[in-house]
Amino acid sequence: MSDYTPKPEHKFTFGLWTVGNVGRDPFGEAVRHRMSPVEIVHMLAEVGAWGVNLHDNDLVPIDATPAERDQIVREFKQALADTGIVVPMATTNLFYDPIFKDGAFTSNDPRVRAYALQKTMRAIDLGVELGAKVYVFWGGREGTETDASKSALESGKRFREALNFLCAYVKDNGYDLKFAIEPKPNEPRSDIYLPTVGSALGFIATLDHPEMVGLNPEVAHEHMAGLNFLHAIAQAWDAGKLFHIDLNDQLFGRYDQDFRFGSVMLKQAFFLVKFLEDMGYEGSRHFDAHAYRTEDYEGVKAFARGCMRTYLILKEKAARWNADPEIQALVQQINADDGTYSYLSGGYSKDKAERLKAESFDVPALGKRGLPYEQLDQLTVELLLGVR
Ligand code: DIG
Ligand code: MN
Ligand code: MN
């Protein structure tokens, strides 16, 4: 049995809004008292987290005076100093206040769009002051219930204009900060713009400073769209755009459940952890999740510990998968290549095209070839079940 104790080098983080979730849902009132940001920092230190993330208003109320803001930030910084907890990521709450009921950057009202930019600049200043290096944009209200209300094309242009302005703001201020877009297909809007990793990657390419902007994919959000999260982050990684990640769990086709990491789709969680560890992902392992509504704060701590323990257990399972002789023999067999067609790698040439057109293939034999995927997947399942 290995040691599954979280350590700073694991880079486990939680948002203030996650372990601070009071259990309110559309059909029920809060079930837990609200902890202060300082209390949350101490709880995260107690369970062994490395960092804490925040929306601006998780820390500073939207109507705080500058003096109140400074006092709150001072006390928060003291809690960070007392515990050693760091702030790797920050973001803006552009979804809770009624002013954003029809969006922030994509609102039809230019006053709301302008206010959203102002609020985000101030929140960026706060995030940088606290040491954040990644800034997330989750456009929770950027969407529609009826497409009679606004042009999807115009909304994309407004979103781009806002991000271009904010990228320029970061550059103008010399901030060491990169942006990470967080896609989600719906909820709280009926349809949210930039719904998936794929659509966000396409959007990033249209920005003035695409090098500053990447992705913060969330497990639950791709699952809500019925998509394979591993495939999504592999594409983001391939594009050099996996700047951050929101880990949790989620059944397909449900509202955003934000379950404890690994608590629902364990095999998908295994392949996700394997990918991150195999690739040497160096970013935060951020758990954007919350405890069941049934829990008290001891249950919330069990939730937080469970997220980190499951990640570490799956990390060990991934290492064992990579070292398992029977599994690796099958992987070798599946990827056998005698080099006959290696001339095709390295790009096109007329000679290569002519040579390939002259090749002959035993199509029936290739079609009959048996692939040992049942055996390989069974070995994977048995490894996860702890019998190998
Ligand atoms: C929800 O999945 C979103 C917001 O909580 C926040 O903007 C972002 C940061 O992880 N995730
Ligand atoms: Mn979510
Ligand atoms: Mn998230």
Side-chain angles (χ1 to χ4, degrees):
M1 170 78 84
S2 297
D3 173 17
Y4 306 121
T5 309
K7 298 182 179 68
E9 64 261 28
H10 299 138
K11 293 191 175 180
F12 291 135
T13 63
F14 292 82
L16 283 174
W17 69 91
T18 66
V19 290
N21 181 299
V22 295
R24 180 175 292 110
D25 68 26
F27 304 99
E29 261 312 320
V31 295
R32 295 182 285 266
H33 71 274
R34 184 167 298 285
M35 286 195 297
S36 71
V38 168
E39 288 171 320
I40 292 171
V41 167
H42 283 280
M43 174 197 270
L44 290 177
E46 178 189 344
V47 299
W50 169 67
V52 64
N53 304 315
L54 68 151
H55 302 85
D56 50 348
N57 300 137
D58 296 334
L59 182 64
V60 180
I62 195 166
D63 55 0
T65 65
E68 288 165 340
R69 177 239 187 249
D70 292 347
Q71 171 70 19
I72 290 165
V73 172
R74 204 167 24 251
E75 289 168 0
F76 188 68
K77 281 180 172 178
Q78 186 56 56
L80 298 175
D82 294 344
T83 58
I85 293 282
V86 296
V87 179
M89 180 271 274
T91 183
T92 325
N93 189 320
L94 294 174
F95 48 86
Y96 197 81
D97 190 279
I99 188 173
F100 298 125
K101 62 190 174 187
D102 185 34
F105 299 143
T106 65
S107 167
N108 277 328
D109 188 331
R111 293 165 297 178
V112 174
R113 297 201 298 272
Y115 172 69
L117 271 182
Q118 178 198 76
K119 190 173 194 285
T120 304
M121 284 191 289
R122 287 177 175 162
I124 286 172
D125 295 342
L126 173 62
V128 169
E129 183 180 346
L130 294 171
K133 292 288 185 280
V134 176
Y135 202 84
V136 164
F137 288 82
W138 170 62
R141 297 283 179 197
E142 314 293 7
T144 59
E145 282 70 46
T146 167
D147 284 316
S149 62
K150 59 186 73 170
S151 149
L153 189 61
E154 187 58 30
S155 295
K157 289 175 181 171
R158 288 171 178 169
F159 212 132
R160 176 163 47 248
E161 200 173 273
L163 285 185
N164 286 340
F165 186 94
L166 293 165
C167 280
Y169 178 73
V170 165
K171 291 170 79 71
D172 188 29
N173 285 276
Y175 288 156
D176 176 16
L177 195 68
K178 51 190 184 180
F179 288 173
I181 293 173
E182 179 174 340
K184 187 177 181 182
N186 60 71
E187 189 196 27
R189 299 309 295 264
S190 177
D191 291 293
I192 296 180
Y193 297 122
L194 303 182
T196 65
V197 164
S199 53
L201 282 171
F203 176 73
I204 289 168
T206 72
L207 297 174
D208 289 350
H209 302 285
E211 73 287 352
M212 288 179 64
V213 185
L215 280 152
N216 177 46
E218 177 172 313
V219 174
H221 299 175
E222 299 298 304
H223 281 195
M224 285 170 70
L227 298 174
N228 183 311
F229 186 72
L230 172 65
H231 297 181
I233 62 157
Q235 187 180 2
W237 181 269
D238 179 62
K241 293 295 184 183
L242 189 64
F243 286 9
H244 197 264
I245 194 165
D246 275 3
L247 301 172
N248 54 21
D249 215 342
Q250 169 83 29
L251 283 163
F252 281 15
R254 297 283 204 290
Y255 64 91
D256 192 3
Q257 296 176 307
D258 290 341
F259 280 146
R260 183 180 80 255
F261 180 65
S263 63
V264 180
M265 295 200 173
L266 202 46
K267 198 159 83 169
Q268 285 84 341
F270 165 72
F271 284 120
L272 168 57
V273 170
K274 184 174 178 316
F275 181 84
L276 294 175
E277 296 303 322
D278 286 352
M279 292 302 112
Y281 168 71
E282 293 182 344
S284 297
R285 276 74 171 164
H286 175 229
F287 298 105
D288 186 5
H290 54 77
Y292 304 139
R293 189 164 179 265
T294 51
E295 307 305 299
D296 59 15
Y297 276 112
E298 284 311 307
V300 169
K301 284 190 265 187
F303 148 80
R305 289 189 177 104
C307 286
M308 297 183 283
R309 274 182 61 83
T310 298
Y311 187 100
L312 292 175
I313 293 166
L314 292 177
K315 178 179 176 181
E316 180 187 71
K317 295 285 186 186
R320 295 187 47 198
W321 196 94
N322 290 340
D324 185 299
E326 208 173 340
I327 288 174
Q328 290 310 313
L330 288 173
V331 171
Q332 296 303 319
Q333 176 190 330
I334 289 165
N335 293 288
D337 180 351
D338 64 7
T340 303
Y341 303 101
S342 57
Y343 69 89
L344 290 174
S345 57
Y348 172 86
S349 75
K350 196 172 185 56
D351 290 348
K352 290 181 183 183
E354 292 306 317
R355 177 176 171 183
L356 180 55
K357 287 172 92 171
E359 298 272 11
S360 59
F361 294 91
D362 185 345
V363 174
L366 285 174
K368 287 193 181 75
R369 180 174 168 238
L371 299 167
Y373 293 173
E374 284 288 353
Q375 193 184 346
L376 179 57
D377 188 72
Q378 179 63 25
L379 290 174
T380 303
V381 168
E382 291 185 10
L383 185 143
L384 291 177
L385 292 174
V387 297
R388 67 177 297 118

PDB file of all heavy atoms in Angstrom, residues 182 216 218 221 246 288, ligand 3:
ATOM      1  N   GLU A 182     -12.930  28.272 -20.122  1.00  0.00           N
ATOM      2  CA  GLU A 182     -13.581  27.059 -19.613  1.00  0.00           C
ATOM      3  C   GLU A 182     -14.903  26.847 -20.335  1.00  0.00           C
ATOM      4  O   GLU A 182     -15.874  27.562 -20.112  1.00  0.00           O
ATOM      5  CB  GLU A 182     -13.828  27.144 -18.119  1.00  0.00           C
ATOM      6  CG  GLU A 182     -14.527  25.904 -17.583  1.00  0.00           C
ATOM      7  CD  GLU A 182     -14.666  25.900 -16.096  1.00  0.00           C
ATOM      8  OE1 GLU A 182     -13.906  26.650 -15.440  1.00  0.00           O
ATOM      9  OE2 GLU A 182     -15.524  25.194 -15.577  1.00  0.00           O
ATOM     10  N   ASN A 216      -9.230  25.737 -19.856  1.00  0.00           N
ATOM     11  CA  ASN A 216      -9.454  25.115 -18.560  1.00  0.00           C
ATOM     12  C   ASN A 216     -10.612  24.136 -18.726  1.00  0.00           C
ATOM     13  O   ASN A 216     -11.746  24.431 -18.384  1.00  0.00           O
ATOM     14  CB  ASN A 216      -9.801  26.167 -17.500  1.00  0.00           C
ATOM     15  CG  ASN A 216     -10.116  25.512 -16.165  1.00  0.00           C
ATOM     16  OD1 ASN A 216      -9.396  24.630 -15.711  1.00  0.00           O
ATOM     17  ND2 ASN A 216     -11.210  25.925 -15.530  1.00  0.00           N
ATOM     18  N   GLU A 218     -13.222  21.185 -18.106  1.00  0.00           N
ATOM     19  CA  GLU A 218     -13.786  20.558 -16.897  1.00  0.00           C
ATOM     20  C   GLU A 218     -14.429  19.231 -17.261  1.00  0.00           C
ATOM     21  O   GLU A 218     -15.223  19.157 -18.215  1.00  0.00           O
ATOM     22  CB  GLU A 218     -14.820  21.458 -16.230  1.00  0.00           C
ATOM     23  CG  GLU A 218     -15.462  20.792 -15.013  1.00  0.00           C
ATOM     24  CD  GLU A 218     -16.355  21.688 -14.190  1.00  0.00           C
ATOM     25  OE1 GLU A 218     -15.964  22.819 -13.880  1.00  0.00           O
ATOM     26  OE2 GLU A 218     -17.482  21.254 -13.877  1.00  0.00           O
ATOM     27  N   HIS A 221     -18.232  19.179 -17.621  1.00  0.00           N
ATOM     28  CA  HIS A 221     -18.807  19.953 -18.734  1.00  0.00           C
ATOM     29  C   HIS A 221     -18.745  19.192 -20.047  1.00  0.00           C
ATOM     30  O   HIS A 221     -19.710  19.204 -20.823  1.00  0.00           O
ATOM     31  CB  HIS A 221     -18.121  21.314 -18.847  1.00  0.00           C
ATOM     32  CG  HIS A 221     -18.279  22.150 -17.617  1.00  0.00           C
ATOM     33  ND1 HIS A 221     -17.673  23.364 -17.451  1.00  0.00           N
ATOM     34  CD2 HIS A 221     -18.984  21.925 -16.472  1.00  0.00           C
ATOM     35  CE1 HIS A 221     -18.007  23.859 -16.266  1.00  0.00           C
ATOM     36  NE2 HIS A 221     -18.790  23.011 -15.658  1.00  0.00           N
ATOM     37  N   ASP A 246     -10.129  21.511 -14.625  1.00  0.00           N
ATOM     38  CA  ASP A 246     -11.104  21.383 -13.527  1.00  0.00           C
ATOM     39  C   ASP A 246     -11.491  19.915 -13.396  1.00  0.00           C
ATOM     40  O   ASP A 246     -12.185  19.359 -14.269  1.00  0.00           O
ATOM     41  CB  ASP A 246     -12.360  22.207 -13.845  1.00  0.00           C
ATOM     42  CG  ASP A 246     -12.207  23.657 -13.423  1.00  0.00           C
ATOM     43  OD1 ASP A 246     -11.107  24.016 -12.951  1.00  0.00           O
ATOM     44  OD2 ASP A 246     -13.177  24.434 -13.580  1.00  0.00           O
ATOM     45  N   ASP A 288     -12.767  21.295  -9.155  1.00  0.00           N
ATOM     46  CA  ASP A 288     -13.921  22.198  -9.185  1.00  0.00           C
ATOM     47  C   ASP A 288     -15.154  21.344  -8.905  1.00  0.00           C
ATOM     48  O   ASP A 288     -15.881  20.949  -9.827  1.00  0.00           O
ATOM     49  CB  ASP A 288     -14.027  22.894 -10.538  1.00  0.00           C
ATOM     50  CG  ASP A 288     -15.138  23.939 -10.505  1.00  0.00           C
ATOM     51  OD1 ASP A 288     -15.723  24.152  -9.438  1.00  0.00           O
ATOM     52  OD2 ASP A 288     -15.435  24.514 -11.561  1.00  0.00           O
TER      53      ASP A 288
HETATM   54 MN    MN B   3     -15.228  24.651 -13.538  1.00  0.00          MN
END
